[in-house]
C-alpha cells in the first residue's frame, strides 16, 4: 500500500511539474539553432554523437527553478504526515525526461500554511488588461509585485513564498497568497504587512484590506471583489453561472443561471414585440409546455420566464380563456415550493429589480385583459386558484362571493380567504370582468418590506383582485392566518405597491379582528394579504425586568462559582455532598454560559452563520441546565428513599455527567443535523430554534417539559416524606403541625428554582391572549434564576456558611460567643438538634437530611 501511494504521489507531482516547466523548456529550445532533421541513413555512431552533443548543450544551459504546485487532496486522501513521510524516502536529485531533455528535481518541500491577502495600491489606476493574465501589463505588474512582496515576507519568514492571484479594481487591489511550512501567526502577519508597506512606500501608497473583505480568486470565476458577483458563460447552452464573492476571499455557492434550450429560444423570439403580437397564443402554449420541465425552477430559467411573461403582459392583445390558462400554468410552475430558494437567490443577486414584484404585476395586467365569453370561469393549478365573473347586466346584480380554501400544498393547507363585493359596488361595471386569484406560496416569495414598520411577516394568502374597467370599489376580505401564534393585535391589511422594487402599504385598508380570522376592508383593487408582527409589541416594563434580572443573574452566578471554589474542600467530604455540589456548580456554569450566548445572539444579524452557531450553543447549554436539574432531582430521590444503598463516587459522577452533558449534546446535534440542511433550524428574524417545518423548537420544549414534570413529582415526593410520620413518633400536636407546614413551604421555596420548576410558569404564556400576569411571573422568576440559585443553592447551605466563616476566621468568635452564653445561663442546648444517647440512632427525616442542623427546615443543604 505504501509503495502504491508513493508511485501515485510521484506521478501526480511529475505530471504537474511537467506542465509547469514545458513552456520554459520550449522557450530555451527556441533560443537555439534548430537541429537538423535526422536522416535514416545516419549511422549508429552519428546518432550517439548527436545525443552526446545535445546532452552537453543542455548542461551548459541549466537553469534553476522554484516552482509552486498547488495540489488539492480530498478529505479521505493523503494526510500531511503521510505525504511528508513519503517525501522523506525520496532520493535527491532525481531526473525526469521532458521531451529529449532531462530535468533534475533537487528537492520537494510541502507547505502546510497558506493565507490570502489583498493589498490596495492607491496611486495606480485599474485597467481591463489586468483581468487578462496573458497581457503584457498583467505580466509586468505581476512580476514587479511578486518580487517586492516575496522580499518583504521573507524578511519575516524566510521560508515564505508569494503567489500573485490576480488584480481587481478599487485603485488596484493586488490579491496574493503567502505559502510557508507552517501557518503565519498573528504576529507574523502584522510584521509582514508592516514590511510590505515600508518596502513599497517609496513608490506606492498602499493599505491592506480587512480579512473579511479580501477579493475572491479561482481558476473558474477569476478574481472578483468582495460582495460582487462573478459570471461565466454556460457550456453549450444560453445563460451564465454566477458566484458571489463572500467573506475571507471565498466564493459562495455556485448559482445556476443556465437556460433550458426551449426557454433560451423563446427568450430570443419574444425580443420582437411584433413577433409576440403575431404569434401570441402559440408562443404562450409553447412556453406553457416548456415550463413543465422539472428544471424550470432554476434561477436562470425563472428569471427568463419572468422576463418573457412581462413581455406578454405588455402586449396589447385580447386574452381569452385558453391564453389565461396557459399563462397561469406557467406562473404556477415557477412559484412552486421547489422554487422558493430560487426566489431568494434572485432577490439577493438582482438588487436593482424585484423579479417577484415584476411577476405579480404581470399577472395583474394580463388577467385584467381577459375577454370572458361566458358568465364565470374557474382555473385550478397546483399553486394557485382563479375565479372570474362577468357582470353582464346591471339589473338583478348578485354580489361577488368567492372562497379559496382546501389547498393541498404541504405547509399551506390551513390557508383560506373569502372575498366579498356587494352588488351596490358593481352597479356601474356593466360588461366588466372581476378576476380573483389566490396564491399560497407567494407568502414565502414576496418580500416583507412594509411602510408601517419592521418585523412583519406575510401571514395569509396573497390574493389578486382585478376589474377590467377602471373603477374603484370597496371589497371585504376574510383571511385565516398561517401562523396563529403571531400577535393578532399587530395585524395589518396591506396591498402590494409596485412603485420601485415594491413594498407592502396599508393605505385604504382597515383590519377587523374576527375570532381566529382577520377581516380586511379595502377601497381599491390590486394584490392583498395580511401581515402580522413576528414580535409582540414591546412591553418596556418586561424588557427592563429582563435586562436587570439577567445582569443580576450573571453577577450572582459568578459569585456562586467563586463561593463553590472557595469552600469546595470543606463541603465535599462525603460522596453525596460532593455530587450535590458538582450539580450546583454545573447548573451555575451552564446557566451562565447560556445567558452569555443569549446576549451574544441578540446582537447578531439573524439568519447568518454566526446566528446558527449562537442558536446551537444556546440550545446545548439550556438543555444541559435542565438535565443537570434533572440529575439533582434524581439525587434527591435517591438520598430520600435509598438511605442504606450506596453507589461509589465515580459511579455517581459517571451518571451525572452522562445525563448532564451527553443527552443535551446528542439532542442538539441531531436537531441541527436534521433541520439545518432544510433551512428550518432557526426562525426568521431571531437567533433561536425555528417553529415551522420540522419544528426544531420541540427539541427544546419537549425535554424541558419532561424534566419539569419529573422534578414536580420529586417535589411532591419530598413533601410526602416530610408529612409522613416516622415509626414510633407520637401524634403531632399543634406546634409540630405548624412546624411541618413551615418545612413544606421551605421545601417548595428552596427546591423550585434549583429544580427548574420556575420554567413551568412559561407554559401559560404559549396560550393565545394569555393574561399579562403570567408573562410578568415567568419573566421575573427566570430572569433572576441565577440570583435564586445563589441564595437557595449556596447561601442557605449551612455547611457553606460555616466554611465561609471558617475561611475568614470568624468561626472562633462565633463558638466563643455561644460557649459564653451557655455557661452564663447554666442551660443545655435545645433538645431539638440533639441525637439520642447510646447506640440507638434517630432516623427522623429532618435529622437525617439536615446533617445535625438544629433547624428542622428542609433546605437544599439537606443533601449534605
Amino acid at each position: 500500500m505504501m509503495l502504491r501511494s508513493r508511485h501515485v504521489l510521484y506521478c501526480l507531482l511529475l505530471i504537474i511539474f511537467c506542465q509547469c516547466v514545458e513552456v520554459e523548456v520550449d522557450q530555451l529550445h527556441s533560443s537555439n539553432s534548430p537541429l537538423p532533421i535526422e536522416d535514416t541513413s545516419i549511422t549508429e555512431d552519428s546518432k550517439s554523437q548527436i545525443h552526446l552533443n545535445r546532452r552537453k548543450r543542455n548542461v551548459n544551459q541549466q537553469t534553476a527553478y522554484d516552482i509552486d504546485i498547488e495540489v488539492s487532496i480530498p478529505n479521505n486522501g493523503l494526510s500531511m504526515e503521510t505525504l511528508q513521510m513519503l517525501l522523506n524516502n525520496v532520493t535527491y536529485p532525481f531526473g525526469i525526461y521532458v521531451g529529449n531533455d532531462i530535468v533534475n528535481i533537487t528537492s520537494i518541500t510541502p507547505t502546510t500554511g497558506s493565507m490570502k491577502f489583498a493589498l490596495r495600491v492607491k496611486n495606480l489606476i485599474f485597467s481591463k488588461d489586468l483581468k487578462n493574465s496573458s497581457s503584457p501589463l498583467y505580466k509586468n505588474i505581476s512580476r514587479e509585485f511578486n518580487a517586492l512582496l516575496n522580499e518583504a515576507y521573507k524578511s519575516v519568514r524566510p521560508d515564505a513564498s508569494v503567489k500573485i492571484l490576480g488584480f481587481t479594481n478599487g485603485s488596484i487591489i493586488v490579491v496574493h497568497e503567502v505559502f510557508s511550512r507552517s501557518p503565519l501567526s498573528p504576529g507574523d502577519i502584522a510584521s509582514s504587512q508592516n514590511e510590505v508597506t515600508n518596502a513599497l512606500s517609496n513608490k506606492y501608497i498602499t493599505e491592506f484590506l480587512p480579512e473579511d473583505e479580501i477579493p475572491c480568486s479561482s481558476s473558474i470565476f477569476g478574481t472578483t471583489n468582495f460582495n460582487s458577483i462573478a459570471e461565466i458563460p454556460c457550456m453549450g447552452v444560453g445563460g451564465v453561472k454566477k458566484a458571489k464573492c463572500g467573506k475571507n476571499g471565498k466564493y459562495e455557492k455556485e448559482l445556476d443561471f443556465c437556460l433550458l434550450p426551449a426557454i433560451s429560444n423563446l427568450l430570443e423570439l419574444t425580443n420582437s414585440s411584433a413577433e409576440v403580437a403575431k404569434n401570441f397564443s402559440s408562443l404562450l402554449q409553447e412556453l406553457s409546455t416548456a415550463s413543465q420541465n422539472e428544471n424550470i425552477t432554476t434561477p436562470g430559467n425563472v428569471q427568463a420566464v419572468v422576463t418573457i411573461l412581462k413581455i406578454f403582459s405588455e402586449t396589447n392583445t385580447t386574452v381569452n380563456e385558453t391564453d389565461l390558462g396557459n399563462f397561469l400554468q406557467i406562473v404556477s410552475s415557477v412559484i412552486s415550493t421547489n422554487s422558493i430558494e430560487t426566489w431568494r437567490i434572485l432577490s439577493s443577486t438582482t438588487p436593482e429589480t424585484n423579479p417577484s414584484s415584476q411577476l405579480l404585476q404581470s399577472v395583474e395586467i394580463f388577467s385584467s385583459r381577459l375577454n370572458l365569453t361566458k358568465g364565470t370561469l374557474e382555473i385550478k393549478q397546483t399553486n394557485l386558484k382563479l375565479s372570474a365573473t362577468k357582470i353582464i347586466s346591471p339589473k338583478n346584480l348578485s354580489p361577488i362571493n368567492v372562497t379559496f380554501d382546501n389547498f393541498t400544498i404541504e405547509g399551506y393547507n390551513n390557508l383560506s380567504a373569502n372575498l366579498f363585493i356587494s352588488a351596490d359596488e358593481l352597479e356601474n361595471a356593466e360588461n366588466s370582468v372581476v378576476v380573483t386569484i389566490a396564491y399560497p406560496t407567494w407568502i414565502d416569495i414576496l418580500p416583507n418590506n412594509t411602510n408601517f414598520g419592521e418585523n412583519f411577516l406575510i401571514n395569509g394568502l396573497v390574493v389578486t383582485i382585478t376589474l377590467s374597467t377602471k373603477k374603484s370599489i370597496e371589497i371585504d376580505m376574510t383571511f385565516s392566518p398561517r401562523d396563529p401564534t403571531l400577535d393578532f393585535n399587530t395585524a395589518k391589511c396591506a396591498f402590494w405597491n409596485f412603485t420601485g422594487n415594491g413594498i407592502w402599504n396599508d393605505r385604504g385598508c382597515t383590519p377587523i379582528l374576527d375570532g381566529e380570522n382577520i377581516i380586511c376592508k379595502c377601497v381599491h383593487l390590486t394584490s392583498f394579504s395580511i401581515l402580522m408582527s413576528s414580535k409582540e409589541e414591546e412591553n418596556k416594563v418586561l424588557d427592563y425586568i429582563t435586562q436587570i434580572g439577567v445582569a443580576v443573574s450573571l453577577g450572582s452566578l459568578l459569585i456562586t462559582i467563586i463561593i463553590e471554589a472557595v469552600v469546595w474542600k470543606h463541603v465535599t467530604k462525603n460522596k453525596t455532598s460532593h455530587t450535590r455540589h458538582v450539580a450546583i456548580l454545573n447548573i451555575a456554569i451552564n446557566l451562565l454560559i447560556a445567558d452569555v450566548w443569549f446576549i451574544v445572539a441578540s446582537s447578531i444579524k439573524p439568519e447568518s452563520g454566526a446566528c446558527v452557531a449562537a442558536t446551537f450553543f444556546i440550545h446545548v447549554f439550556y438543555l444541559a441546565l435542565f438535565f443537570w436539574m434533572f440529575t439533582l432531582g434524581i439525587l434527591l430521590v435517591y438520598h430520600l428513599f435509598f438511605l442504606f444503598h450506596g453507589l461509589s463516587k465515580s459511579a455517581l459522577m459517571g451518571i451525572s455527567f452522562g445525563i448532564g452533558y451527553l443527552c443535551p449534546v446528542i439532542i442538539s446535534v441531531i436537531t441541527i443535523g436534521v433541520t439545518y440542511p432544510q433551512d428550518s433550524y432557526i426562525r426568521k428574524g431571531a437567533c433561536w430554534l425555528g417553529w415551522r417545518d420540522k419544528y426544531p423548537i420541540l427539541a427544546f420544549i419537549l425535554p424541558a417539559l419532561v424534566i419539569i414534570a419529573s422534578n414536580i413529582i420529586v417535589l411532591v415526593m419530598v413533601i410526602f416524606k416530610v408529612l409522613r410520620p416516622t415509626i414510633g413518633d407520637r401524634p403531632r400536636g399543634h406546634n409540630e403541625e405548624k412546624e411541618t407546614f413551615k418545612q413544606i413551604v421551605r421545601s417548595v421555596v428552596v427546591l423550585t428554582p434549583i429544580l427548574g420548576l420556575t420554567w413551568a410558569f412559561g407554559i401559560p404564556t404559549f396560550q393565545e391572549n394569555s393574561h399579562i400576569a403570567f408573562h410578568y411571573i415567568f419573566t421575573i422568576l427566570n430572569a433572576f434564576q441565577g440570583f435564586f440559585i445563589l441564595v437557595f443553592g449556596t447561601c442557605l447551605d449551612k455547611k457553606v456558611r460555616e466554611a465561609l466563616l471558617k475561611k475568614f476566621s470568624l468561626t472562633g468568635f462565633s463558638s466563643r460567643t455561644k460557649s459564653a452564653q451557655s455557661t452564663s445561663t447554666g442551660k443545655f442546648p435545645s433538645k431539638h438538634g440533639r441525637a439520642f444517647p447510646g447506640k440507638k440512632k434517630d432516623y427522623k427525616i429532618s435529622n437525617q437530611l439536615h446533617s445535625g442542623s438544629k433547624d428542622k427546615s428542609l433546605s437544599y443543604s439537606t443533601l449534605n
Side-chain angles (χ1 to χ4, degrees):
M1 180 65 186
M2 182 67 71
L3 184 61
R4 184 186 304 172
S5 299
R6 188 182 306 169
H7 286 182
V8 171
L9 176 65
Y10 285 170
C11 293
L12 177 64
L13 291 175
L14 295 180
I15 288 171
I16 299 176
F17 179 82
C18 291
Q19 291 176 344
C20 294
V21 302
E22 187 174 7
V23 174
E24 298 290 343
V25 173
D26 287 342
Q27 289 175 353
L28 288 175
H29 286 172
S30 64
S31 64
N32 301 320
S33 301
L35 292 174
I37 300 175
E38 296 185 5
D39 194 329
T40 55
S41 63
I42 296 179
T43 64
E44 292 295 327
D45 290 341
S46 299
K47 289 182 179 179
S48 300
Q49 185 63 41
I50 292 172
H51 182 69
L52 180 61
N53 292 338
R54 184 182 297 140
R55 292 284 300 272
K56 289 179 179 179
R57 182 176 63 249
N58 288 340
V59 168
N60 293 331
Q61 294 177 343
Q62 282 184 354
T63 305
Y65 294 93
D66 287 331
I67 300 177
D68 293 325
I69 302 175
E70 184 177 344
V71 181
S72 297
I73 301 176
N75 293 333
N76 58 351
L78 294 173
S79 65
M80 284 302 300
E81 291 78 8
T82 305
L83 178 60
Q84 184 64 64
M85 183 175 64
L86 292 173
L87 292 175
N88 290 339
N89 295 327
V90 176
T91 301
Y92 299 103
F94 64 89
I96 61 172
Y97 277 96
V98 179
N100 292 321
D101 296 283
I102 295 179
V103 176
N104 290 320
I105 308 296
T106 57
S107 66
I108 301 175
T109 305
T111 59
T112 60
S114 67
M115 292 189 68
K116 286 184 179 180
F117 298 97
L119 180 71
R120 187 192 303 276
V121 184
K122 297 182 178 180
N123 54 335
L124 286 181
I125 300 175
F126 182 79
S127 168
K128 289 184 178 180
D129 288 341
L130 290 176
K131 285 289 186 181
N132 181 9
S133 60
S134 61
S135 69
L137 179 62
Y138 183 99
K139 291 180 178 179
N140 291 336
I141 294 184
S142 178
R143 190 180 301 111
E144 178 184 5
F145 278 97
N146 186 274
L148 292 171
L149 293 174
N150 255 309
E151 183 180 356
Y153 282 108
K154 283 181 180 294
S155 66
V156 177
R157 289 287 294 270
D159 66 330
S161 61
V162 176
K163 177 183 178 182
I164 301 297
L165 300 178
F167 305 93
T168 64
N169 58 353
S171 298
I172 285 184
I173 298 175
V174 183
V175 187
H176 57 284
E177 191 167 10
V178 179
F179 297 89
S180 60
R181 291 199 179 108
S182 60
L184 297 176
S185 67
D188 290 338
I189 294 173
S191 300
S192 299
Q193 292 183 351
N194 287 334
E195 287 292 330
V196 170
T197 303
N198 293 334
L200 302 179
S201 60
N202 292 333
K203 186 175 180 181
Y204 299 112
I205 303 172
T206 62
E207 66 173 357
F208 276 90
L209 271 64
E211 182 180 355
D212 58 351
E213 295 182 10
I214 294 175
C216 301
S217 181
S218 77
S219 58
I220 299 175
F221 288 99
T223 307
T224 307
N225 278 342
F226 166 69
N227 215 28
S228 299
I229 296 174
E231 297 183 359
I232 58 172
C234 296
M235 296 293 292
V237 294
V240 296
K241 289 187 177 182
K242 299 182 180 182
K244 185 177 182 180
C245 179
K247 292 184 177 180
N248 303 317
K250 294 181 179 179
Y251 280 108
E252 296 176 356
K253 181 180 178 181
E254 181 182 292
L255 304 177
D256 183 5
F257 278 77
C258 300
L259 301 178
L260 292 168
I263 299 296
S264 179
N265 182 53
L266 284 167
L267 190 60
E268 291 182 9
L269 289 175
T270 53
N271 279 334
S272 169
S273 57
E275 182 70 19
V276 173
K278 179 182 177 181
N279 302 294
F280 187 80
S281 296
S282 61
L283 288 175
L284 261 179
Q285 178 63 56
E286 190 176 343
L287 181 59
S288 176
T289 302
S291 68
Q292 297 176 33
N293 189 301
E294 61 180 8
N295 292 324
I296 194 64
T297 56
T298 61
N301 289 316
V302 170
Q303 189 175 48
V305 167
V306 170
T307 302
I308 295 170
L309 292 184
K310 184 174 186 292
I311 295 170
F312 276 111
S313 68
E314 294 173 347
T315 302
N316 190 18
T317 303
T318 302
V319 175
N320 59 38
E321 291 93 332
T322 303
D323 295 335
L324 183 60
N326 286 330
F327 191 95
L328 294 180
Q329 192 278 322
I330 300 164
V331 173
S332 177
S333 297
V334 297
I335 63 170
S336 67
T337 53
N338 295 332
S339 70
I340 291 175
E341 180 60 29
T342 290
W343 287 103
R344 292 173 183 165
I345 292 172
L346 292 176
S347 297
S348 63
T349 56
T350 55
E352 67 283 355
T353 60
N354 184 345
S356 60
S357 180
Q358 286 183 358
L359 181 59
L360 186 61
Q361 188 172 31
S362 296
V363 175
E364 282 197 23
I365 297 172
F366 195 89
S367 60
S368 67
R369 297 210 312 268
L370 174 63
N371 180 23
L372 191 59
T373 57
K374 48 189 177 181
T376 60
L377 173 67
E378 289 192 1
I379 297 176
K380 293 183 179 179
Q381 297 289 344
T382 305
N383 301 295
L384 59 83
K385 291 182 180 180
L386 173 141
S387 178
T389 303
K390 186 172 184 178
I391 305 168
I392 299 174
S393 172
K395 298 179 180 179
N396 301 320
L397 285 175
S398 298
I400 302 293
N401 194 347
V402 181
T403 298
F404 295 107
D405 56 11
N406 298 323
F407 290 94
T408 59
I409 310 170
E410 185 179 355
Y412 304 90
N413 44 23
N414 67 326
L415 292 171
S416 66
N418 175 265
L419 289 73
F420 180 83
I421 304 175
S422 67
D424 294 340
E425 295 291 328
L426 303 173
E427 286 183 353
N428 298 321
E430 185 176 356
N431 292 324
S432 296
V433 178
V434 178
V435 179
T436 57
I437 312 172
Y439 332 76
T441 55
W442 275 106
I443 293 177
D444 296 316
I445 293 176
L446 279 172
N448 59 340
N449 304 326
T450 75
N451 72 331
F452 43 78
E454 299 178 354
N455 300 314
F456 279 84
L457 298 176
I458 307 170
N459 203 28
L461 278 173
V462 176
V463 179
T464 295
I465 308 168
T466 62
L467 188 65
S468 56
T469 58
K470 303 295 182 181
K471 182 181 184 297
S472 295
I473 59 176
E474 184 175 320
I475 183 170
D476 290 351
M477 295 168 286
T478 303
F479 293 93
S480 66
R482 178 192 194 182
D483 185 354
T485 64
L486 298 184
D487 186 7
F488 273 53
N489 294 320
T490 65
K492 297 283 188 180
C493 295
F495 69 94
W496 184 255
N497 188 338
F498 293 102
T499 303
N501 282 345
I503 193 171
W504 288 103
N505 193 316
D506 63 341
R507 179 177 53 83
C509 292
T510 304
I512 301 172
L513 297 181
D514 181 25
E516 296 182 354
N517 297 320
I518 305 293
I519 297 176
C520 295
K521 290 183 175 293
C522 298
V523 295
H524 50 77
L525 300 179
T526 184
S527 297
F528 300 92
S529 189
I530 56 169
L531 289 88
M532 295 183 184
S533 177
S534 59
K535 179 180 178 182
E536 291 187 4
E537 291 182 344
E538 296 183 358
N539 187 312
K540 292 185 178 180
V541 177
L542 288 176
D543 285 345
Y544 291 145
I545 292 173
T546 300
Q547 293 168 8
I548 295 171
V550 170
V552 171
S553 283
L554 290 175
S556 300
L557 291 169
L558 287 172
I559 294 172
T560 299
I561 295 170
I562 293 171
I563 290 177
E564 289 289 338
V566 170
V567 304
W568 188 259
K569 291 183 180 179
H570 301 280
V571 297
T572 58
K573 293 182 178 179
N574 62 69
K575 63 183 179 184
T576 307
S577 178
H578 177 269
T579 309
R580 203 273 289 194
H581 280 280
V582 167
I584 288 291
L585 184 60
N586 277 276
I587 287 173
I589 291 173
N590 282 290
L591 182 57
L592 177 65
I593 297 175
D595 283 346
V596 169
W597 273 108
F598 183 81
I599 294 172
V600 171
S602 64
S603 61
I604 293 176
K605 184 178 179 180
E607 301 175 0
S608 63
C611 183
V612 173
T615 300
F616 176 78
F617 286 115
I618 293 172
H619 190 199
V620 169
F621 287 107
Y622 270 128
L623 278 182
L625 169 69
F626 275 104
F627 275 99
W628 272 104
M629 290 172 172
F630 179 63
T631 303
L632 210 50
I634 293 175
L635 176 63
L636 180 56
V637 172
Y638 169 77
H639 188 72
L640 286 175
F641 295 97
F642 300 94
L643 294 174
F644 304 105
H645 183 275
L647 289 173
S648 65
K649 183 185 292 186
S650 60
L652 288 172
M653 287 296 95
I655 293 172
S656 299
F657 278 87
I659 295 174
Y661 288 113
L662 189 58
C663 292
V665 168
I666 290 174
I667 293 173
S668 301
V669 169
I670 291 176
T671 303
I672 192 172
V674 172
T675 60
Y676 181 73
Q678 301 181 24
D679 199 25
S680 59
Y681 182 61
I682 59 175
R683 67 183 56 180
K684 190 173 183 179
C687 293
W688 184 226
L689 297 172
W691 54 29
R692 293 178 185 167
D693 300 326
K694 304 297 177 179
Y695 303 104
I697 188 65
L698 295 179
F700 173 74
I701 292 177
L702 291 181
L705 290 178
V706 170
I707 291 172
I708 289 170
S710 65
N711 282 352
I712 289 175
I713 295 173
V714 170
L715 181 59
V716 172
M717 293 170 70
V718 170
I719 293 173
F720 271 97
K721 191 72 174 177
V722 172
L723 288 172
R724 191 178 68 184
T726 308
I727 297 174
D729 278 1
R730 300 173 303 172
R732 291 177 176 154
H734 176 72
N735 290 336
E736 290 185 348
E737 293 289 348
K738 185 176 180 180
E739 188 64 24
T740 300
F741 176 75
K742 291 180 179 179
Q743 290 182 33
I744 294 172
V745 172
R746 290 167 182 163
S747 300
V748 173
V749 171
V750 171
L751 294 177
T752 294
I754 299 178
L755 295 181
L757 305 185
T758 54
W759 288 76
F761 289 95
I763 296 174
T765 64
F766 285 101
Q767 302 298 318
E768 185 180 344
N769 300 323
S770 58
H771 197 278
I772 190 65
F774 289 111
H775 293 267
Y776 277 100
I777 294 172
F778 178 70
T779 302
I780 292 171
L781 290 178
N782 289 284
F784 288 90
Q785 189 174 10
F787 173 74
F788 295 142
I789 289 173
L790 170 64
V791 173
F792 298 115
T794 302
C795 294
L796 289 185
D797 189 322
K798 182 175 179 292
K799 284 192 174 182
V800 171
R801 296 199 305 273
E802 290 177 350
L804 287 173
L805 290 172
K806 184 177 181 180
K807 190 74 176 178
F808 294 103
S809 303
L810 298 176
T811 305
F813 173 76
S814 176
S815 300
R816 289 195 300 270
T817 303
K818 291 181 180 178
S819 177
Q821 290 175 348
S822 177
T823 304
S824 63
T825 58
K827 296 181 180 180
F828 291 103
S830 171
K831 65 181 180 180
H832 289 293
R834 179 174 175 271
F836 289 111
K839 294 184 179 179
K840 293 184 178 180
K841 299 291 183 180
D842 184 359
Y843 291 112
K844 289 184 179 180
I845 188 66
S846 58
N847 287 331
Q848 284 296 318
L849 292 180
H850 285 262
S851 304
S853 174
K854 294 180 182 181
D855 188 358
K856 288 187 177 181
S857 66
L858 187 62
S859 69
Y860 201 71
S861 61
T862 57
L863 291 179
N864 292 330

